[in-house]
Amino acid sequence: SNRTRRAAAVKRITSLQNPRVKEALRLRQSRQRRKAGHFLVDGTREITRAITSGIHVLEAFVCPALCETADRTRALELVKQSGVPLWEVPEEVIARLAFGERSEGILLVADSTSRPLNRLAVSKNPLIAVVEGIEKPGNLGAILRSADAAGVSAVIVTDALGDLENPNCIRASLGTVFTLKIALASSTEACAWLRDRNVRVFAADPDATLDYTHANFRSSSAIVLGSEASGLSRVWNAAEVTPIRLPMLGVADSLNVSVTAAVLFYEALRQRSAPTPNP
C-alpha cells in the first residue's frame, strides 16, 4: 500500500534542535500532553502492546544502532508495518526523548485516547477496580499491571490526578494501560454506574471493621481504592458501599495503594476460582 511505501522512506534527523524533536520533547509535560492531545510511548513491550491494541500512532523516532535485540527488532517491524512516518535519529536524540535512564531505541508519538464511562462494556459477573485520586502515575501503572494479572474485567479511574498517559504510568503498567478496559469518570458517575448495574461495592478503608477475606467477591463486585494521602471521598460513604480492611500488624497504618490493590484483586480471583461450596 501507499502507506507502507511511505513508511519505507525513512527520514533522518540529526539534531536535538529539530522542530519535530522539540515538539516531541514538550510531550514530557502533562500540560503539553493535554494541550496537544498527544503522548509518548517508549519501551519495546509498551510499544508492542500499544500498536497491537490499535492505538493511533502519529510518528516514530528510531535509533537503529540500539535496535539490536530480538524484541526491539520485532517492535520496529510493527512500527514499520503500521506505515507511520519514521524518523531515524542518533543516540543522543533518542536518549533525550526516552523516559528515565532506559532507552530502547524506539519511541512513538500517539494520539490521546478518550475513555468515556458510557462506552465501557463489561462481561456478566464482572470484577471492576475503581481508583480514585491516585497522585503518583507509578502507583496507577502498578495497579493496572496487577489488575491485568489478576483478571480484573475493567478499571474505572476517577478524579484522576495521576495521568494515564504519563510515561511513568505507561512503564509501571508494562503497557497494560493499552490492553485493559479503562474508563475515566467522576466518582459520582462511577458510583451511579455501579449502582445501575447492581454491582456490589467494596471500599478499601483502614478504619473498616470487615476483614477483606470475609467480603464476598464471587458475584459482580467493585473494589474501590483511594489515595494514600487523603483516602476516599465522601461519595463512597453511601449505604450500599461496604468498607473492608487489610489487617495491619506492625507500626505502619497503611500499605502502598498498589500493594493493597494486588492483595484485594488476588483475593477476589481466589474466591472466584474456588469451587462453589455446598449449601
Side-chain angles (χ1 to χ4, degrees), residues 132 187 191 195 201-205 207 224 230-243:
E132 177 189 74
S187 293
C191 199
R195 194 183 302 125
V201 181
F202 298 95
D205 176 357
D207 301 324
V224 187
S230 47
L232 287 167
S233 67
R234 285 204 297 269
V235 171
W236 304 106
N237 292 349
E240 70 271 20
V241 176
T242 307

Side-chain angles (χ1 to χ4, degrees), residues 152-230:
V152 170
S153 321
V155 181
I156 303 173
V157 178
T158 77
D159 306 334
L161 303 171
D163 156 15
L164 282 166
E165 291 169 350
N166 178 298
N168 238 334
C169 175
I170 296 171
R171 178 160 303 172
S173 83
L174 286 189
T176 57
V177 66
F178 304 118
T179 56
L180 279 163
K181 288 184 170 180
I182 303 174
L184 293 171
S186 71
S187 293
T188 312
E189 287 166 343
C191 199
W193 188 91
L194 294 166
R195 194 183 302 125
D196 291 347
R197 283 157 186 77
N198 297 318
V199 177
R200 297 180 62 179
V201 181
F202 298 95
D205 176 357
D207 301 324
T209 49
L210 182 69
D211 198 299
Y212 78 103
T213 53
H214 298 156
N216 179 358
F217 299 118
R218 286 188 181 89
S219 58
S220 297
S221 308
I223 293 170
V224 187
L225 301 138
S227 86
E228 288 166 52
S230 47

Side-chain angles (χ1 to χ4, degrees), residues 64-70 72-73:
L66 294 175
C67 294
E68 301 291 281
T69 65
R72 290 178 196 182
T73 310

Side-chain angles (χ1 to χ4, degrees), residues 7 9-28 38-44 47 51 57-67 72-73 75-80 82-99 102-111:
V10 177
K11 302 178 185 71
R12 278 185 182 75
I13 288 176
T14 52
S15 157
L16 279 165
Q17 301 313 312
N18 181 284
R20 300 233 59 81
V21 173
K22 284 181 158 175
E23 211 170 296
L25 271 172
R26 280 199 280 276
L27 299 175
R28 299 284 297 269
H38 306 152
F39 68 104
L40 302 174
V41 188
D42 74 340
T44 48
I47 283 172
I51 292 175
V57 180
L58 299 165
E59 61 182 352
F61 296 89
V62 60
C63 174
L66 294 175
C67 294
R72 290 178 196 182
T73 310
L76 183 54
E77 253 333 287
L78 273 176
V79 172
K80 285 178 175 168
S82 74
V84 301
L86 197 57
W87 304 99
E88 212 170 88
V89 296
E91 244 173 273
E92 62 268 23
V93 171
I94 208 90
R96 276 295 301 282
L97 287 167
F99 188 72
R102 182 185 76 169
S103 171
E104 297 188 357
I106 315 172
L107 184 125
L108 307 181
V109 177
D111 254 339

